[in-house]
Amino acid sequence: MLGAFLIKYINPTYLQFIIALFLIGNIPQLFKSSKNDENSSKMYPKSILAIIGFFAGFFSGITGAVGLLFNRFYLKYGLTKEEIVATRAANEVFLHLIKLIIYISLGLYSKTALYIGLSISLATIVSSISVRYILPLFSENLFKKIGYIAMVISGVSLLFTSYQEIIKQDKIIMLLDKIHFII
Protein backbone atom coordinates (compact mmCIF):
# COMPACT_ATOMS: atom_id res chain seq x y z
CA MET A 1 0.00 0.00 0.00
CA LEU A 2 2.91 2.33 0.80
CA GLY A 3 4.42 1.73 -2.66
CA ALA A 4 1.11 2.43 -4.38
CA PHE A 5 0.66 5.59 -2.32
CA LEU A 6 4.20 6.80 -3.10
CA ILE A 7 3.72 6.32 -6.85
CA LYS A 8 2.12 9.77 -6.77
CA TYR A 9 5.38 11.27 -5.43
CA ILE A 10 8.22 9.06 -6.65
CA ASN A 11 9.31 8.83 -10.26
CA PRO A 12 9.35 5.06 -10.86
CA THR A 13 11.84 5.43 -13.72
CA TYR A 14 14.71 6.09 -11.31
CA LEU A 15 13.75 3.09 -9.20
CA GLN A 16 13.60 0.97 -12.36
CA PHE A 17 17.10 2.17 -13.26
CA ILE A 18 18.41 1.06 -9.84
CA ILE A 19 16.59 -2.28 -10.11
CA ALA A 20 18.17 -2.76 -13.55
CA LEU A 21 21.65 -2.32 -12.07
CA PHE A 22 20.83 -4.82 -9.33
CA LEU A 23 19.62 -7.36 -11.91
CA ILE A 24 22.72 -6.87 -14.06
CA GLY A 25 24.78 -7.47 -10.91
CA ASN A 26 23.86 -11.15 -11.27
CA ILE A 27 26.38 -11.63 -14.07
CA PRO A 28 28.97 -13.26 -11.74
CA GLN A 29 26.37 -15.88 -10.78
CA LEU A 30 26.34 -17.08 -14.39
CA PHE A 31 29.97 -18.18 -14.11
CA LYS A 32 29.81 -19.89 -10.72
CA SER A 33 30.20 -23.63 -10.73
CA SER A 34 27.37 -25.76 -9.42
CA LYS A 35 29.64 -26.91 -6.57
CA ASN A 36 30.10 -23.35 -5.29
CA ASP A 37 26.39 -22.74 -5.73
CA GLU A 38 25.44 -25.65 -3.47
CA ASN A 39 27.63 -24.29 -0.68
CA SER A 40 26.15 -20.81 -0.93
CA SER A 41 22.57 -21.83 -0.05
CA LYS A 42 21.58 -20.63 3.38
CA MET A 43 18.48 -20.57 5.50
CA TYR A 44 17.47 -17.10 6.56
CA PRO A 45 15.42 -16.32 9.67
CA LYS A 46 11.70 -15.76 9.13
CA SER A 47 12.17 -12.06 9.87
CA ILE A 48 14.32 -11.79 6.73
CA LEU A 49 11.55 -13.48 4.74
CA ALA A 50 9.10 -10.87 6.05
CA ILE A 51 11.47 -8.04 5.07
CA ILE A 52 11.91 -9.52 1.58
CA GLY A 53 8.12 -9.81 1.26
CA PHE A 54 7.68 -6.19 2.33
CA PHE A 55 10.18 -4.92 -0.24
CA ALA A 56 8.65 -7.11 -2.96
CA GLY A 57 5.28 -5.53 -2.34
CA PHE A 58 6.72 -2.04 -1.91
CA PHE A 59 8.73 -2.04 -5.15
CA SER A 60 5.90 -3.73 -7.00
CA GLY A 61 3.54 -1.00 -5.85
CA ILE A 62 5.78 1.64 -7.41
CA THR A 63 7.20 0.00 -10.52
CA GLY A 64 4.86 -2.87 -11.32
CA ALA A 65 5.94 -6.50 -11.38
CA VAL A 66 9.36 -7.06 -9.85
CA GLY A 67 9.35 -10.82 -9.50
CA LEU A 68 12.75 -11.28 -11.13
CA LEU A 69 14.30 -8.97 -8.58
CA PHE A 70 13.74 -11.57 -5.88
CA ASN A 71 14.80 -14.63 -7.90
CA ARG A 72 18.32 -14.30 -6.58
CA PHE A 73 17.05 -14.44 -3.02
CA TYR A 74 14.99 -17.55 -3.76
CA LEU A 75 17.91 -19.22 -5.52
CA LYS A 76 20.31 -18.39 -2.68
CA TYR A 77 17.79 -19.51 -0.06
CA GLY A 78 18.16 -23.08 -1.28
CA LEU A 79 14.63 -23.63 -2.55
CA THR A 80 14.14 -26.34 -5.15
CA LYS A 81 12.96 -25.37 -8.60
CA GLU A 82 9.45 -26.59 -7.76
CA GLU A 83 9.38 -24.54 -4.55
CA ILE A 84 10.58 -21.42 -6.39
CA VAL A 85 7.90 -21.76 -9.07
CA ALA A 86 5.18 -22.36 -6.46
CA THR A 87 6.37 -19.43 -4.31
CA ARG A 88 6.58 -17.07 -7.28
CA ALA A 89 3.15 -18.12 -8.53
CA ALA A 90 1.53 -17.59 -5.14
CA ASN A 91 3.30 -14.24 -4.73
CA GLU A 92 2.24 -13.01 -8.16
CA VAL A 93 -1.41 -14.00 -7.80
CA PHE A 94 -1.87 -12.51 -4.35
CA LEU A 95 0.31 -9.46 -4.98
CA HIS A 96 -1.51 -8.49 -8.17
CA LEU A 97 -4.94 -9.02 -6.66
CA ILE A 98 -3.99 -6.91 -3.65
CA LYS A 99 -2.48 -4.25 -5.94
CA LEU A 100 -5.70 -4.08 -7.92
CA ILE A 101 -7.70 -3.49 -4.75
CA ILE A 102 -5.23 -0.86 -3.51
CA TYR A 103 -4.99 0.94 -6.87
CA ILE A 104 -8.77 1.02 -7.17
CA SER A 105 -9.17 2.35 -3.62
CA LEU A 106 -6.54 5.07 -4.26
CA GLY A 107 -8.02 5.99 -7.62
CA LEU A 108 -4.86 4.97 -9.49
CA TYR A 109 -6.42 2.50 -11.86
CA SER A 110 -7.70 2.46 -15.37
CA LYS A 111 -9.56 -0.20 -17.29
CA THR A 112 -6.31 -1.08 -19.02
CA ALA A 113 -4.50 -1.53 -15.69
CA LEU A 114 -7.37 -3.65 -14.41
CA TYR A 115 -7.25 -5.91 -17.46
CA ILE A 116 -3.46 -6.18 -17.27
CA GLY A 117 -3.57 -7.09 -13.58
CA LEU A 118 -6.25 -9.72 -14.09
CA SER A 119 -4.39 -11.08 -17.13
CA ILE A 120 -1.16 -11.41 -15.15
CA SER A 121 -2.97 -13.26 -12.37
CA LEU A 122 -4.64 -15.61 -14.85
CA ALA A 123 -1.38 -16.16 -16.77
CA THR A 124 0.40 -17.00 -13.52
CA ILE A 125 -2.18 -19.64 -12.68
CA VAL A 126 -2.04 -21.17 -16.17
CA SER A 127 1.76 -21.13 -16.28
CA SER A 128 2.14 -22.68 -12.82
CA ILE A 129 -0.17 -25.53 -13.84
CA SER A 130 1.57 -26.14 -17.18
CA VAL A 131 5.07 -25.87 -15.73
CA ARG A 132 4.49 -29.12 -13.81
CA TYR A 133 5.13 -30.94 -17.08
CA ILE A 134 8.09 -28.85 -18.22
CA LEU A 135 10.02 -28.42 -14.96
CA PRO A 136 11.13 -32.07 -14.60
CA LEU A 137 13.06 -31.69 -17.87
CA PHE A 138 15.51 -29.25 -16.21
CA SER A 139 18.20 -30.04 -13.67
CA GLU A 140 18.43 -27.80 -10.59
CA ASN A 141 21.66 -26.28 -11.90
CA LEU A 142 20.22 -25.54 -15.36
CA PHE A 143 17.12 -24.03 -13.75
CA LYS A 144 19.31 -21.71 -11.66
CA LYS A 145 21.40 -20.69 -14.67
CA ILE A 146 18.25 -19.91 -16.65
CA GLY A 147 16.99 -17.85 -13.70
CA TYR A 148 20.21 -15.83 -13.55
CA ILE A 149 20.23 -15.38 -17.34
CA ALA A 150 16.64 -14.10 -17.20
CA MET A 151 17.61 -11.63 -14.48
CA VAL A 152 20.59 -10.28 -16.42
CA ILE A 153 18.67 -9.99 -19.71
CA SER A 154 15.79 -8.27 -17.95
CA GLY A 155 18.25 -5.95 -16.22
CA VAL A 156 19.86 -4.94 -19.50
CA SER A 157 16.46 -4.36 -21.09
CA LEU A 158 15.19 -2.37 -18.10
CA LEU A 159 18.43 -0.36 -17.97
CA PHE A 160 18.09 0.57 -21.62
CA THR A 161 14.43 1.57 -21.39
CA SER A 162 14.76 3.44 -18.09
CA TYR A 163 17.91 5.21 -19.32
CA GLN A 164 16.05 6.37 -22.44
CA GLU A 165 13.08 7.51 -20.36
CA ILE A 166 15.30 9.45 -17.94
CA ILE A 167 17.04 11.21 -20.82
CA LYS A 168 13.69 12.06 -22.44
CA GLN A 169 11.84 13.19 -19.32
CA ASP A 170 14.71 15.17 -17.82
CA LYS A 171 15.82 16.61 -21.17
CA ILE A 172 19.41 15.59 -20.44
CA ILE A 173 20.49 15.92 -24.09
CA MET A 174 19.36 19.56 -24.15
CA LEU A 175 21.18 20.15 -20.87
CA LEU A 176 24.38 18.61 -22.26
CA ASP A 177 24.04 20.73 -25.41
CA LYS A 178 23.77 23.87 -23.27
CA ILE A 179 26.82 22.91 -21.23
CA HIS A 180 28.76 22.16 -24.40
CA PHE A 181 27.67 25.52 -25.88
CA ILE A 182 28.88 27.39 -22.77
CA ILE A 183 32.26 25.66 -22.85
Side-chain angles (χ1 to χ4, degrees), residues 139-163:
S139 69
E140 290 288 334
N141 189 45
L142 180 60
F143 179 80
K144 288 180 180 183
K145 292 292 182 192
I146 291 170
Y148 287 121
I149 289 169
M151 286 186 279
V152 171
I153 290 171
S154 296
V156 169
S157 175
L158 187 58
L159 182 71
F160 182 71
T161 56
S162 61
Y163 172 78

Side-chain angles (χ1 to χ4, degrees), residues 10 56 65 77 86 97 100 114 121 127 138 141-142 165 179:
I10 294 176
Y77 192 70
L97 288 175
L100 280 172
L114 181 65
S121 295
S127 68
F138 297 102
N141 189 45
L142 180 60
E165 184 63 28
I179 291 172

Side-chain angles (χ1 to χ4, degrees), residues 31-120:
F31 303 105
K32 276 190 167 182
S33 72
S34 59
K35 220 179 218 187
N36 290 344
D37 202 33
E38 289 173 10
N39 296 337
S40 66
S41 295
K42 50 188 161 200
M43 296 300 282
Y44 295 100
K46 289 183 180 181
S47 59
I48 297 296
L49 294 175
I51 292 169
I52 294 295
F54 170 80
F55 281 113
F58 177 73
F59 290 138
S60 182
I62 296 173
T63 67
V66 292
L68 278 178
L69 186 61
F70 297 97
N71 269 5
R72 184 174 182 175
F73 172 77
Y74 295 139
L75 292 169
K76 291 281 189 187
Y77 192 70
L79 298 177
T80 65
K81 59 189 177 190
E82 292 82 9
E83 291 170 330
I84 291 172
V85 169
T87 301
R88 292 277 318 273
N91 285 348
E92 292 298 317
V93 168
F94 290 117
L95 190 61
H96 282 89
L97 288 175
I98 290 169
K99 281 172 41 176
L100 280 172
I101 293 167
I102 291 170
Y103 286 170
I104 289 169
S105 68
L106 293 175
L108 296 172
Y109 81 101
S110 64
K111 283 187 180 181
T112 303
L114 181 65
Y115 293 136
I116 290 172
L118 290 173
S119 298
I120 290 171

